[in-house]
mmCIF file of all heavy atoms in Angstrom:
data_model
loop_
_atom_site.group_PDB
_atom_site.id
_atom_site.type_symbol
_atom_site.label_atom_id
_atom_site.label_comp_id
_atom_site.label_asym_id
_atom_site.label_seq_id
_atom_site.Cartn_x
_atom_site.Cartn_y
_atom_site.Cartn_z
ATOM 1 N N GLY A 40 6.911 19.484 29.796
ATOM 2 C CA GLY A 40 8.342 19.477 30.078
ATOM 3 C C GLY A 40 8.868 18.094 30.448
ATOM 4 O O GLY A 40 10.073 17.908 30.610
ATOM 5 N N GLY A 41 7.956 17.121 30.616
ATOM 6 C CA GLY A 41 8.406 15.754 30.864
ATOM 7 C C GLY A 41 8.469 15.357 32.322
ATOM 8 O O GLY A 41 8.989 14.291 32.652
ATOM 9 N N ASP A 42 7.970 16.197 33.243
ATOM 10 C CA ASP A 42 7.936 15.819 34.657
ATOM 11 C C ASP A 42 6.540 15.354 35.035
ATOM 12 O O ASP A 42 5.559 15.750 34.403
ATOM 13 C CB ASP A 42 8.283 17.030 35.544
ATOM 14 C CG ASP A 42 9.722 17.433 35.366
ATOM 15 O OD1 ASP A 42 10.604 16.571 35.535
ATOM 16 O OD2 ASP A 42 9.969 18.621 35.043
ATOM 17 N N ASN A 82 14.481 11.065 26.297
ATOM 18 C CA ASN A 82 14.502 11.344 27.735
ATOM 19 C C ASN A 82 13.331 10.621 28.396
ATOM 20 O O ASN A 82 12.180 11.042 28.307
ATOM 21 C CB ASN A 82 14.419 12.862 27.966
ATOM 22 C CG ASN A 82 14.607 13.219 29.426
ATOM 23 O OD1 ASN A 82 14.437 12.361 30.301
ATOM 24 N ND2 ASN A 82 14.946 14.473 29.702
ATOM 25 N N THR A 84 13.083 10.070 31.678
ATOM 26 C CA THR A 84 13.070 10.358 33.119
ATOM 27 C C THR A 84 11.665 10.398 33.711
ATOM 28 O O THR A 84 11.399 9.794 34.752
ATOM 29 C CB THR A 84 13.749 11.727 33.381
ATOM 30 O OG1 THR A 84 14.951 11.774 32.617
ATOM 31 C CG2 THR A 84 14.060 11.915 34.845
ATOM 32 N N GLY A 85 10.770 11.130 33.059
ATOM 33 C CA GLY A 85 9.413 11.268 33.581
ATOM 34 C C GLY A 85 8.693 9.922 33.645
ATOM 35 O O GLY A 85 7.941 9.644 34.590
HETATM 36 C C1 NAG B 1 15.075 14.910 31.038
HETATM 37 O O1 NAG B 1 13.803 15.380 31.447
HETATM 38 C C2 NAG B 1 13.783 15.850 32.791
HETATM 39 C C3 NAG B 1 12.357 16.222 33.070
HETATM 40 O O2 NAG B 1 11.600 15.057 33.271
HETATM 41 C C4 NAG B 1 14.734 17.017 32.971
HETATM 42 O O3 NAG B 1 14.713 17.440 34.314
HETATM 43 C C5 NAG B 1 16.134 16.585 32.558
HETATM 44 O O4 NAG B 1 17.002 17.702 32.596
HETATM 45 C C6 NAG B 1 16.110 15.984 31.154
HETATM 46 N N1 NAG B 1 17.417 15.421 30.863
HETATM 47 C C7 NAG B 1 18.142 15.813 29.824
HETATM 48 C C8 NAG B 1 19.452 15.116 29.657
HETATM 49 O O5 NAG B 1 17.739 16.649 29.034
#
Side-chain angles (χ1 to χ4, degrees):
D42 292 306
N82 187 340
T84 315

